[in-house]
Amino acid sequence: MKIGVRAHDYGKRKIEEMAALLHDEGYGAAQIVLPKAFMEVSRYEDVTPEILERVRRSFERNSVEIPVLGCYMDLGNPDAGVREYAVKTLKQCLAWGKELGAGVVGTETAYHRLKGEEKKLWKPYMMDSVQRAMEEAWRLDMKLALEPVYWHPLEDLETTLEVIRMVGDEKHLRLIFDASNLLEFPETTDQDTLWTRWLEGIGEYVDVMHIKDFSLDGKRQYQPEPLGKGVMRYEAVSCWLRKQRRKITLVREEMNLLFVEEDLAFMRNL
């Protein structure tokens, strides 16, 4: 198991500075989103072969793996122009991910927080976008990892299994499992049962887990918390992880600099 962090939680830095910092902070892996992590890249159109080579060399020199090249795109948007840009950019990131030696290229399936009917409306567009992106994943022999989120078209276990059946390629279609993005009703949910059901259903497709914690204020507004201090219950996830005999990377999201050591200890204990 590898312990990692979302690189841009440390802000936006020069490529070499970021790689060295992550190494010094004790991480063996990092999820990177090129325009968010590096000062040299303001948008995907700024990426050059020279920048990619600097990233690859710097992270390799500092022994920081790149399990996820993040390219979170609006794959289910009903606007054809938005979807076309999303698929085009995702395909480009699949090529870049292969150059960087990334484990997967990861994406969610929407930007917006959708209601029930909206999710149903956006679902067929999401399915089409995934199919088109997978064509490039097959061509490049690169892995595309989808991240289910309860307010997106890829909202639940049933829809995730439907996408898996549609694609029919365990080698190139992988998943990022973020339990906190699937917990709609923390006050009433039996998390042990929910996470066991999810991981029994799709666990063999999970290469990366996002680890974070949160609380809800009086207006049910989301508040990030140090690991173990919020509503998340990771016992069932930990039980599943301890049974695995393959490498799975845990990536800390929403990291707070005040609690780095405590969070690292929590993740190692998982």
Side-chain angles (χ1 to χ4, degrees), residues 88-228:
K88 177 183 176 182
T89 306
L90 189 55
K91 287 183 175 182
Q92 181 63 74
C93 281
L94 284 163
W96 292 339
K98 192 169 183 71
E99 289 187 50
L100 291 171
V104 302
V105 171
T107 184
E108 293 175 354
T109 56
Y111 287 158
H112 307 280
R113 293 187 75 96
L114 305 175
K115 306 292 186 183
E117 288 305 312
E118 290 177 308
K119 288 184 281 188
K120 291 181 175 60
L121 173 65
W122 287 43
K123 178 183 171 182
Y125 298 115
M126 177 268 292
M127 300 289 272
D128 177 68
S129 293
V130 169
Q131 282 186 307
R132 291 193 288 141
M134 285 303 305
E135 292 171 0
E136 189 72 355
W138 293 322
R139 188 182 74 81
L140 294 169
D141 191 21
M142 184 63 194
K143 296 175 182 177
L144 174 66
L146 302 178
E147 182 176 340
V149 180
Y150 78 77
W151 60 88
H152 287 170
L154 191 63
E155 62 176 312
D156 53 26
L157 178 58
E158 289 70 27
T159 306
T160 304
L161 290 170
E162 185 178 347
V163 170
I164 287 171
R165 289 191 294 269
M166 175 189 73
V167 172
D169 185 350
E170 182 179 348
K171 179 181 178 183
H172 295 103
L173 177 66
R174 308 303 294 166
L175 295 174
I176 297 171
F177 183 73
D178 186 333
S180 68
N181 283 350
L182 299 168
L183 186 61
E184 185 172 4
F185 303 108
E187 305 93 337
T188 57
T189 298
D190 179 346
Q191 292 189 45
D192 282 349
T193 299
L194 182 60
W195 308 142
T196 298
R197 181 169 171 263
W198 264 98
L199 291 169
E200 285 178 349
I202 51 87
E204 63 192 300
Y205 286 83
V206 174
D207 283 354
V208 177
M209 285 191 172
H210 285 166
I211 306 297
K212 56 181 184 277
D213 208 341
F214 69 96
S215 61
L216 298 175
D217 66 16
K219 297 181 179 179
R220 290 189 58 80
Q221 295 298 306
Y222 182 96
Q223 305 290 331
E225 299 287 355
L227 297 179

Side-chain angles (χ1 to χ4, degrees), residues 66-79:
I66 304 173
V68 184
L69 177 63
C71 180
Y72 282 39
M73 288 287 121
D74 207 3
L75 297 179
N77 197 301
D79 185 306

